Amino acid sequence: MRWMACLIPALVLAACSQPAAPPAEPAADAPPPMEASVAATPAAEPAKAAAEPAGAAPTDAPAEDARARIETLLGDAAQYEKVFNAFKTAVVGGDRAAVVEEVRFPLNIANGRKITGPGEFQRNYEKIITPAVVKAVSEQDFGKVFVNHQGVMIGDGQVWLNGQCLDQACTKTEVKVITIQ
C-alpha cells in the first residue's frame, strides 16, 4: 500500500512532463496558461519550470538556445525578437502609440478581460501598462525568455507574444503581443 502512495505521484509527474505537440493551427485568441502569470513570487519560478516540457532548454540559456527553441516551437525567431525589442523600447520609453503598434486586438488582460481596440487600450493605458509590467519588460533579456508552444513569455507572465497565421498554409505569420497582465 505504501509503494502506491509513492508510485501515483511519480506517474502523475511523468505524465505531466511530456511535451505537448504544437497545434496544427495556432488559435489567434488563445491566452497563455494562467499558471504562468503568477505574480513575482518565489512560487513563480517553479510554475515556469513546471510549464516547460522535459528536456527543454532552461530559461537562462544563451540567446541562441532561446532562438532555437522559438524556431522549433513557434517559427521565425527573428520576428519574435523584432517585436520583443520594439515593444520593450516603446514600453520603457513611454511611447503609447508605439506600444499599440505591437499589440494584437482583442488583447487579453488581467482577470480574463479583453481590450477590443486601440482606443480602449489608450483610455486604459495606465491600468494595463502598470509599473510591474514596465519593470518586467525593462528587465527581460530576449536570450532568457521562457518559450513554450503557446508563445514567448516576458517576466513572470506579465506579457506574452505569439504569432498568427496570415494565410491558410500558415506560411506567413504576424507576431504581436497577445496578453498583458
Side-chain angles (χ1 to χ4, degrees), residues 53-103:
T59 57
D60 60 349
E64 296 78 32
D65 288 343
R67 285 180 188 86
R69 194 146 159 72
I70 291 169
E71 291 282 341
T72 300
L73 295 174
L74 304 171
D76 184 14
Q79 245 190 323
Y80 282 85
E81 188 169 14
K82 179 180 175 189
V83 171
F84 171 88
N85 289 333
F87 184 73
K88 182 175 182 174
T89 300
V91 167
V92 171
D95 186 345
R96 293 175 176 219
V99 170
V100 168
E101 289 299 314
E102 302 306 325
V103 171

Side-chain angles (χ1 to χ4, degrees), residues 114-129:
K114 292 187 184 285
I115 298 294
T116 59
E120 185 181 3
F121 184 88
Q122 292 291 3
R123 286 189 299 277
N124 293 288
Y125 187 87
E126 288 82 12
K127 294 176 186 172
I128 300 166
I129 306 295

Side-chain angles (χ1 to χ4, degrees), residues 84 87-88 91-92 132-140 154 159:
F84 171 88
F87 184 73
K88 182 175 182 174
V91 167
V92 171
V133 169
V134 173
K135 183 176 191 278
V137 170
S138 66
E139 292 177 353
Q140 184 69 61
I154 297 176
V159 179

Side-chain angles (χ1 to χ4, degrees), residues 10-33:
L11 290 174
V12 170
L13 286 174
C16 292
S17 68
Q18 299 301 316
E25 220 176 284
D29 63 346

